[in-house]
Amino acid sequence: MTPAIHLKPSPWKHLALFATGAAFVAVAVLIAPQHPWLAWCCGLLFGACALAALVALLPGSTGLRLEPGRMTVRSLYREWHLRREDVDVFYVRPVAGRWMVCWNYAPGYDGQRLGRRLSSAVAGVEAGLPDTYGMKAAELAELLNRWRAGGLVTAPRRGPPRP
């Protein structure tokens, strides 16, 4: 039996989001005497972003797990699962200015109707992963298509090549 593969996101983007959110909260505090309503709105919005980024940095809060029959995506301690037979194909597409691994569901898949329609209307795809887990989007899509086909899936190597 093939062991499960665990992929984790790079912490750098979450650190950058936390720092940006914290900086904007500081600006909101500074402008509070002159513009209290704007300061509250900015402080709450960017404070929530900073908090979400901080939670994403905690161990076990985010990741992707590939098992022989299903994929588990974990984001901010919430999990959802996807069976490989429910996916038509994984592919890379630019969404909101960044390359994402996306997919459309298999023709016989009947779940997530409202979410699929909404996502298709907004982004032009039925679904997508929230991260590339330290890989290039094309490499992750290739790995996921091998997983979907039931082929041998091994974790990507990190670091310098071994002698």
Side-chain angles (χ1 to χ4, degrees), residues 51-63 72-81 130:
L51 182 62
L54 190 61
V55 170
L57 287 167
L58 296 175
S61 69
T62 58
T72 302
V73 179
R74 182 173 247 204
S75 181
L76 300 179
Y77 291 107
R78 293 188 59 200
E79 285 186 355
W80 54 271
H81 307 282

Side-chain angles (χ1 to χ4, degrees), residues 83-101:
R83 297 178 320 162
R84 66 178 173 207
E85 59 266 15
D86 293 338
V87 177
D88 187 29
V89 67
F90 291 97
Y91 57 94
V92 177
R93 178 185 172 113
V95 177
R98 68 182 182 113
W99 292 97
M100 290 183 63
V101 174

Side-chain angles (χ1 to χ4, degrees), residues 7-100:
L7 299 174
K8 297 175 186 173
S10 169
W12 297 110
K13 97 172 174 181
H14 296 297
L15 283 170
L17 182 60
F18 173 74
T20 303
F24 276 101
V25 168
V27 169
V29 169
L30 292 175
I31 67 166
Q34 295 85 14
H35 306 283
W37 178 247
L38 180 63
W40 272 104
C41 291
C42 289
L44 288 174
L45 174 68
F46 289 107
C49 290
L51 182 62
L54 190 61
V55 170
L57 287 167
L58 296 175
S61 69
T62 58
L64 176 69
R65 179 181 168 111
L66 297 176
E67 299 171 282
R70 74 178 185 174
M71 172 174 85
T72 302
V73 179
R74 182 173 247 204
S75 181
L76 300 179
Y77 291 107
R78 293 188 59 200
E79 285 186 355
W80 54 271
H81 307 282
L82 181 66
R83 297 178 320 162
R84 66 178 173 207
E85 59 266 15
D86 293 338
V87 177
D88 187 29
V89 67
F90 291 97
Y91 57 94
V92 177
R93 178 185 172 113
V95 177
R98 68 182 182 113
W99 292 97
M100 290 183 63

Side-chain angles (χ1 to χ4, degrees), residues 2 21 36 110 113 141 157 160 163:
T2 306
D110 199 30
R113 290 181 187 176
R157 251 186 34 213

